Structure formats: structure tokens, C-alpha cells
Amino acid sequence: RKEVEQDPGPFNVPEGATVAFNCTYSNSASQSFFWYRQDCRKEPKLLMSVYSSGNEDGRFTAQLNRASQYISLLIRDSKLSDSATYLCVVMSGNTPLVFGKGTRLSVIA
Amino acid sequence: DAEITQSPRHKITETGRQVTLACHQTWNHNNMFWYRQDLGHGLRLIHYSYGVQDTNKGEVSDGYSVSRSNTEDLPLTLESAASSQTSVYFCASLRREAYNEQFFGPGTRLTVL
């Protein structure tokens, strides 16, 4: 089983739609969780950290379910500029971050 | 502003040549990483370092080496380039504090002919 698994997509959604991505992780000792965004031919950048109680940043909401070992990202009112690949990332102790392969989102006008 | 840079941004080389990709960060982060990214594989960790003189192998380290002689730089060397090493290479650094944000360089696109 891969350490971090994501649906690769692509998710093709119209502008204004709500879209959700899920991610599962295998290491129950994982302590920190993140979503990164990667635009085509660019480097990944931190979108948001994921906290146990869930957290929101504008149109983006991240949730963590430790019991089921999954993380989710919800994007409301999708914009064309949200088109990118979203990477689920997990950290355990002092080891390197573990990246999922990413979920590709295309928002269509 | 602090930053992380990579050079060259694009490189074409021939099979069997030694190639070194540079990575330089000005945040004074102890943790630095090298990844390669290929279609269908996502980001794969090549080598990483937690401080000066410290280096560790990642999941795809064969054919690559790194050295860490100062905090700012982690050069990646391909000892004898192979066509299978054609890829996009990202360097990253991490500040291990409460925020734990990892910053990536802009990437180096390497083609081995």
C-alpha cells in the first residue's frame, strides 16, 4: 500500500462548482498534514496546513480524520485559476515529507 | 527576500557524462531535499540532508550523490548520466518549526540524450 494515495483525476468542473478531493495515508503515526498546489511546469507551493479540528482559508476547507486516516480538501465556488494539481502531504516525526502523486483539477468556463 | 534557487534551469547532456545541479537557499534552513518528478510517478525523493556534513538516501538514490559543506547549498551530482535520469528535478528546504513549510526551487529540466 502506498504511503499516501490520491485519486489522480482529472476532475473537470465548471466555474462556480464545489469540488472535493480525498487522500488516504497509511502511517498511523503521521503528525502533520498539508495540501500543496502545483501549477503546470512550476514548483509545488504550500496551499494550507490541515489541522485536527479542520480549517478554512477563504474558499478552501481542509479536514482531517485520524481514525480513518484520510484528509480532504473542499474548494467552493471554483475559479479558472484553481486549475492545478493538488498534492496531499504527510509528515511523520523527523522524516522527510511524503507526497501523494496529486489530483489534477481543471475548472472549465 | 529569502529564496531558493536552482541552476541551471535547463540542461541537455549526453549519456555517461557527469552532471551537477546546483541548489542554493538563503533561509538558513537545515533541512534540504532533492526530488525528481516524472509523469505517473509524482515527486520522488532522491537525497536529503538535515545539516552540514549530513546526507541521506531517498527512495531513488542510485546514480546520484549529494554533499553538504555549508547550510546554503546542496548540489546534486549524476555520476554518469543515463537516459532514465531525464526528468524535472526540484530542490527544497524546510524549516522545522510549528509551521513546517517546505519551499521548493523553480526546478531544473534535465534531458539526457
Side-chain angles (χ1 to χ4, degrees):
Chain A
R1 182 182 171 186
K2 301 277 186 195
E3 285 197 65
V4 177
E5 294 203 59
Q6 298 181 247
D7 182 341
F11 284 62
N12 299 313
V13 302
E15 273 187 291
T18 295
V19 61
F21 307 136
N22 290 328
C23 159
T24 58
Y25 60 94
S26 60
N27 186 351
S28 59
S30 298
Q31 299 162 318
S32 302
F33 309 89
F34 311 89
W35 284 101
Y36 276 68
R37 170 191 169 129
Q38 185 174 23
D39 294 303
C40 188
R41 293 179 171 267
K42 298 282 191 179
E43 73 272 23
K45 293 183 179 178
L46 178 67
L47 177 66
M48 60 195 301
S49 300
V50 185
Y51 302 118
S52 297
S53 54
N55 48 298
E56 195 173 295
D57 183 1
R59 297 180 293 106
F60 298 83
T61 300
Q63 297 276 354
L64 168 64
N65 185 321
R66 286 188 185 271
S68 301
Q69 294 181 207
Y70 82 76
I71 307 150
S72 64
L73 177 68
L74 183 79
I75 305 175
R76 290 183 299 278
D77 188 23
S78 299
K79 312 290 186 192
L80 293 175
S81 57
D82 294 334
S83 297
T85 296
Y86 292 84
L87 306 172
C88 176
V89 186
V90 173
M91 175 187 283
S92 305
N94 199 35
T95 59
L97 300 183
V98 180
F99 287 78
K101 291 184 180 181
T103 297
R104 207 167 99 222
L105 171 66
S106 291
V107 181
I108 305 160
Chain B
D1 283 344
E3 60 178 358
I4 180 166
T5 57
Q6 294 183 232
S7 62
R9 295 293 312 280
H10 297 88
K11 173 82 176 176
I12 300 174
T13 191
E14 295 176 341
T15 301
R17 290 193 182 259
Q18 184 181 79
V19 177
T20 296
L21 309 183
C23 175
H24 179 79
Q25 52 98 2
T26 59
W27 283 293
N28 209 36
H29 290 165
N30 284 323
N31 300 276
M32 295 185 73
F33 309 86
W34 272 105
Y35 298 87
R36 61 178 288 176
Q37 188 172 40
D38 307 284
L39 272 175
H41 288 280
L43 284 164
R44 291 186 288 175
L45 184 63
I46 305 171
H47 281 286
Y48 59 101
S49 169
Y50 286 160
V52 176
Q53 302 302 332
D54 176 73
T55 61
N56 305 278
K57 294 182 179 180
E59 64 177 298
V60 291
S61 60
D62 286 349
Y64 303 95
S65 63
V66 293
S67 59
R68 190 88 181 271
S69 58
N70 59 54
T71 302
E72 296 81 17
D73 299 289
L74 186 70
L76 177 72
T77 298
L78 285 68
E79 307 293 346
S80 176
S83 57
S84 60
Q85 294 177 308
T86 293
S87 187
V88 178
Y89 291 85
F90 288 104
C91 177
S93 71
L94 171 67
R95 184 185 68 194
R96 284 199 185 270
E97 296 171 6
Y99 198 49
N100 278 319
E101 181 171 357
Q102 182 158 305
F103 298 90
F104 285 83
T108 295
R109 190 168 295 271
L110 177 68
T111 301
V112 183
L113 301 176

